[in-house]
Structure formats: structure tokens, C-alpha cells
Amino acid sequence: GDLQGVMDKLDYLQDLGVEVVYFNPLFVSPSNHKYDIQDYDYIDPHYGKIVDDGGEVLPNGVTDNSQATKYKKRTTGLKNLEASNELFIKLVEELHRRGMKVILDGVFNHCGSFNKWMDRERIYEGEEDYEPGAYVSADSPYRSYFRFFKEGPENWPYNANYDGWWGHDTLPKLNYEDSVKLENYILYIGRKWVSPPYNVDGWRLDVAADLGRSNEYNHEFWQKFRRAVKDANPNALILAEHYGDPSDWLKGDEWDTVMNYDAFMEPVTWFLTGMEKHSDEAREELLGNIDNFIGSMAHHMSNMLTPSLQVAMNELSNHDHSRFLTRTNHMVGRVEHLGPEAANEYVNKAVMREAVVMQMTWVGAPTVYYGDEAGVCGFTDPDNRRTYPWGHEDQELIAFHKEAIRIHKEHPALKTGSLKILGGEENILSYARFKGHDRIIVVINNRSERAEVKVPVWEAEIPIKCRMKRLLYSYKDGYTTEYEEYLVEDGEVVANMGPHSALVLGMRNEEDHDWLYIL
């Protein structure tokens, strides 16, 4: 619900195994999604803290009604804004005390039409200490912050005839090329929130490749942004939302990494569900298509160097797409056509568990969208933003996430290890992650029937003959962590996999006494 709610649930997040909290936009905004930012300097009191509702007794000498109204609005608003920033500082301090980090959402390509710079809704017009917005006056000091398409006082106001992101008039695109003042301010914001007293640990950059009017300026700006942020906090992460080849931005002087749609979310979704990530399309020919999966992964992973890949945001769901659990029902459509209940129907939790195993073992940083671990369903935005089901959680799915997260955190191979595909056929996949003595093998059976899978574990430098122990087995009706031994003969392990299953095995190497694990 709000930042205090997050504070109250930090024990839950820590018990789940969360190490970093990424927030969608928190800055002042009139919307629920808050990608139409009104003020970059303050946390929105609806998420932060409302200490004053404006009903205070006026000070001596303030009697005029209009004057009183303005006084209330100004002083009440400032109190709430400052209190919200203070609460955010406390939240970050508590996260850091627990050894956790926090990433903010940076929406710098566009702002909101409510922003004082534009003031299309005229909420700042005539207010003390506020200059007229670009929509209110052609002489506004913020005029150059935006591109208007008509000139001349006879056309003023211009009826929203300005450049909006993807044509949205509530999201006026920021015009950096014509305003050094705007550029400097956003660079200041980039520094401000990663510096004391806020001390956030990084930025996620919304529609980062869209910023500016040219590719040349886009790169110029992000180079400046990186210098500003890294000078203030050298360890701050710069992670961009991006679709397509990000290699031009990942040369070490702009972004650190990206939200990993192309080299994780999309290939995994097509392979396990045959669904497009919005649930807008079903493609039977991609369901279980091992050639497409391996080819897509090889192609898109090649566009990133290893350091960027290792910290790329590997999500199954997020605020822009349908919930992964809903994709397992193979229903094509959106909530306005199918209704909200359809998102919950015919889902396959076994397939969801397969996806979680892949998420926790593939190259990159596993990122869980709130509620995915508790069984939350939903079609694409806005249905994907349902509230967390406190008191109605899928406890088994939460417990499974804890086991998978634990395995990820305990093994260096899953953080910085190499990757090798060991085998695959229709709806069957096996791969290795390895680093030093830490070796991990992942086996997935996405078929709706049992399958005997032979895995050439010798390719991951597993001994030709040895024993392995089962650590985790996910199957159609649940999962188990009960101990069981398997034999490796002639460098292969034979796994009898149930429908929609994933297997976790471990091996004792008698020569160096290290445990090796097979998933």
C-alpha cells in the first residue's frame, strides 16, 4: 500500500530471501502508476506520509479567505512532502541495516502534464512562488522544456499541441536538446537520490532509449548521467528498460545493464507457455520449441558482455505485462474483454515452478514481481497490479520460492558461473552452470507426460561415475526436498521426470570433498 506498509513487511521480504527492493515510481504524481511525475524532489505523500490534511488553525493575521486557502495549501503540502522524504530515508536506512538495497524508478524521458513546468491543468497558475507553466504562458521559463507544434499568441493555449510520449498528452516529452537548464536539473536529481541522506543504491531508467530526439543526444545524455551518478555513488547500479539490442549503451560509459526481456523473459515464456508476454497472442509452434529457445538465448545474450548479463533483471512478470501464472492458462486477451476472473482460471502452478527454477538458475539477477511468489494472477496492465493477497497467499508457492532463492544465494555458480546447454528436445531442456568446484545442472520437463531424460553431466566436469543426492524435485502436484540418491554412469545421469517437473540433485566428489549440485 505505502512505504510504511513496506517497512512493516520487511521481515517477510527478508525471510523470502530478497536482497534488493526495486520500487516503481515513488515521486509526486496524480496517477496510481506515477509514471507522470509532477515533482522529482519529493516522495508522493500518498505513498509516504500525510501529517496534515489542511485543517489547521490559521496563524494570526491571516483572515482573508483566498489568502487563507493558499496558505493552507502551501504549508500543508510542504509538511507532507518533507515528512514523506523523511519516511523514505528511514526505510532506506532500515533496508541497509538488514543488508538489503533499494533501486528507484527514474522517469526522465517525460514528465506529467500536472508538472509545474507544463501546468496544463493550471493547478500552479497564480500560486505564490511559482512561475507560469509552459502551457499557461508563452513566456514561461519552462517553455524550452517542451516542444510545441504551433507558434503565435492567437493559438495560445495550444490545446495540448505539444510533443507527448507516444502521443499521450498527459506525458509531455522532455525537450533536453533545447534546455541546458532542464538537463542540469535531471542530472542533479540523478545525483540527489543516490547521495546522503537518501542513499539509494541505483536507478532503473524508464524507456531509456527514447530520451531525447536523436540517438546521438541520447548517448550523450546517458554518458553525462552515468558520470553524475557514479561520482556521487560509485556503487550505484544504472539499469535501463530496453527492448532489442542494448549493446550500444553497454560499453561501460552509459548503462550497467537492462531489464532482460530478450535474453530471459520472452524466450522462457514462449518455451514454457507458448504465450506472448502480454497474453496478447498464443503461438503453438513456439511452445516447447527447443531450437527457438536456444537460438533466441544465444543471439540475445551475445548482445551483452558478461558483467551486464550477470546483473540483468530476469523477471517472469512485471508491471507492464501479464502475470506469468496467468500465461500458463493459454488464454489470449486482456481484462477488459475476458474479465478479471479469467486470469485465475486453468492456471498451471507446475509450469510456474518450472519457470521459477529457470529464473533462479539462469544467468542474471532473479527479480520477483511482488505477489508472483504468492500466486497472484492478472492480465496485462492494469490487471497485473492487483494487491498482494495478505491472508490468502499460496503458502506452498511461497515455500517453493524460498527453496529456489536459497539455492540461488548459496551457489557462486548461479551468480557468476559459466553457462552450457547440455541437451534439449521438444519441451525438454538441460543446462549447466559452473564455477570452480561449484557445478549445477538444470533439467526441465515441460511435457504433460512423463519423460526419461539422459543428461551428459560429464560436459560440466561431473565425474564419470559418482552418486548424487536430490535437493529439490518439483512435479505436477507439488515439490519435495526429501533425500534420495541417483547414480551417474558413464558420465550420464538418467532422470525419470514427471509431467511439468524440475529436478535438483547434489553430488559428493570423493577426491576433493566438495559438494556439487544438479538441478
Side-chain angles (χ1 to χ4, degrees), residues 392-448:
H392 303 281
E393 305 95 325
D394 185 324
Q395 294 294 344
E396 181 186 60
L397 197 54
I398 290 176
F400 181 79
H401 272 80
K402 288 181 183 179
E403 294 290 350
I405 291 171
R406 174 186 58 78
I407 291 168
H408 173 83
K409 293 172 69 174
E410 288 180 354
H411 294 282
L414 294 178
K415 294 184 178 181
T416 56
S418 299
L419 168 73
K420 181 175 178 59
I421 302 294
L422 297 180
E425 52 188 289
E426 183 184 359
N427 277 303
I428 301 288
L429 171 68
S430 61
Y431 56 91
R433 298 291 308 280
F434 45 92
K435 181 178 183 179
H437 294 307
D438 190 24
R439 292 172 176 82
I440 292 172
I441 309 295
V442 181
V443 183
I444 301 291
N445 174 25
N446 193 46
R447 295 177 179 174
S448 56

Side-chain angles (χ1 to χ4, degrees), residues 33 93 185 245 342 463 474 499:
H33 59 74
E93 289 175 346
Y185 175 78
D245 183 356
S474 173

Side-chain angles (χ1 to χ4, degrees), residues 28-31 33-40 106-121 134 142 145-146 162-165 168-176 182 185-186 206-207 211:
V28 177
S29 159
S31 68
H33 59 74
K34 302 207 176 299
Y35 282 93
D36 50 350
I37 290 176
Q38 187 173 338
D39 192 330
Y40 291 89
V107 188
F108 303 133
N109 168 70
H110 52 270
C111 65
S113 59
F114 280 77
N115 195 296
K116 67 182 179 182
W117 302 336
M118 177 62 78
D119 199 20
R120 192 188 75 167
E121 288 73 20
Y142 310 116
Y145 286 25
F146 309 97
Y162 48 79
D163 190 6
W165 181 67
H168 296 293
D169 58 7
T170 58
L171 303 175
K173 186 172 171 62
L174 293 172
N175 182 30
Y176 288 91
L182 168 64
Y185 175 78
I186 295 298
D206 184 60
V207 294
L211 185 141

Side-chain angles (χ1 to χ4, degrees), residues 317-341:
S317 318
N318 66 20
H319 61 284
D320 282 327
H321 306 98
S322 61
R323 294 273 182 170
F324 186 90
L325 186 54
T326 288
R327 283 175 233 153
T328 68
N329 69 10
H330 303 122
M331 287 192 181
V332 175
R334 302 199 172 196
V335 66
E336 58 266 33
H337 304 120
L338 301 176
E341 290 305 316

Side-chain angles (χ1 to χ4, degrees), residues 303-371:
N303 291 327
M304 287 187 274
L305 296 177
T306 298
S308 294
L309 269 175
Q310 289 174 345
V311 294
M313 185 180 279
N314 285 0
E315 301 171 294
L316 297 173
S317 318
N318 66 20
H319 61 284
D320 282 327
H321 306 98
S322 61
R323 294 273 182 170
F324 186 90
L325 186 54
T326 288
R327 283 175 233 153
T328 68
N329 69 10
H330 303 122
M331 287 192 181
V332 175
R334 302 199 172 196
V335 66
E336 58 266 33
H337 304 120
L338 301 176
E341 290 305 316
N344 302 19
E345 295 174 346
Y346 311 114
V347 297
N348 190 329
K349 287 198 296 182
V351 174
M352 177 74 181
R353 288 193 295 270
E354 291 177 64
V356 172
V357 168
M358 295 182 70
Q359 181 182 42
M360 297 299 162
T361 58
W362 199 259
V363 181
T367 306
V368 179
Y369 187 42
Y370 79 96

Side-chain angles (χ1 to χ4, degrees), residues 3-11 87 90-91 94 98:
L3 296 186
Q4 186 59 53
V6 175
M7 188 94 76
D8 294 343
K9 298 298 183 181
L10 287 181
D11 286 346
L87 178 61
K90 292 179 180 178
L91 174 58
E94 179 59 22
R98 293 169 179 257

